[in-house]
Amino acid sequence: QVQLVESGGGLVQAGGSLRLSCAASGRTFSSYAMGWFRQAPGKEREFVAAIIRRGGNTDYADSVKGRFTISRDNAKNTVYLQMNSLKPEDTAVYYCGATNVPGVVTSRKYAYWGQGTQVTVSS
């Protein structure tokens, strides 16, 4: 069992930055790939970024490449999402998830989810 708690969301102007954190419980954090997804009102949950167990490989949605960076600290059981050059279209609830099966870009592959943190980017 893995419990995830996101933090770091808020209101920011376009062009600004935020860093999201996702703290995980349990001693098996390093065995999971971690992903960030987001969901805007009236839209489906969409993939943002993922990082494999040991943090060597990452994957990003085209819409955030070059602006967002995912990282993890297995010693702290935490995954981060650094978001720079934010745009109004980045506004959404951001969720972190944990998976130990292939398919990190697909939300249904994730067994565990946090409660989400709101990110609002004003124009």
Side-chain angles (χ1 to χ4, degrees), residues 18 24 66 78 92 104 106:
L18 283 174
T78 302
V104 295
T106 305

Side-chain angles (χ1 to χ4, degrees), residues 3 12 33 35 46 48 51 60-61 70 86 89-90 92 94 107 109-110 113 115 118 122:
Q3 292 184 328
V12 64
E46 66 173 1
V48 175
I51 188 166
Y60 296 92
I70 188 171
L86 282 160
E89 51 263 44
D90 295 318
Y94 283 70
S107 61
K109 299 291 188 177
Y110 286 74
W113 292 98
Q115 82 290 349
Q118 176 70 47
S122 63

Side-chain angles (χ1 to χ4, degrees), residues 3 6 15 41 56 65-66 76 83 99 103 107:
Q3 292 184 328
E6 301 98 334
K65 280 181 181 176
K76 295 183 178 179
M83 305 186 295
T99 180
S107 61

Side-chain angles (χ1 to χ4, degrees), residues 48-93:
V48 175
I51 188 166
I52 66 167
R53 289 175 287 276
R54 298 198 180 277
N57 287 347
T58 57
D59 198 1
Y60 296 92
D62 288 343
S63 59
V64 306
K65 280 181 181 176
R67 300 188 298 123
F68 290 10
T69 302
I70 188 171
S71 61
R72 68 189 295 163
D73 186 336
N74 287 339
K76 295 183 178 179
N77 281 12
T78 302
V79 62
Y80 305 96
L81 185 68
Q82 178 66 44
M83 305 186 295
N84 299 328
S85 302
L86 282 160
K87 304 175 181 180
E89 51 263 44
D90 295 318
T91 296
V93 177

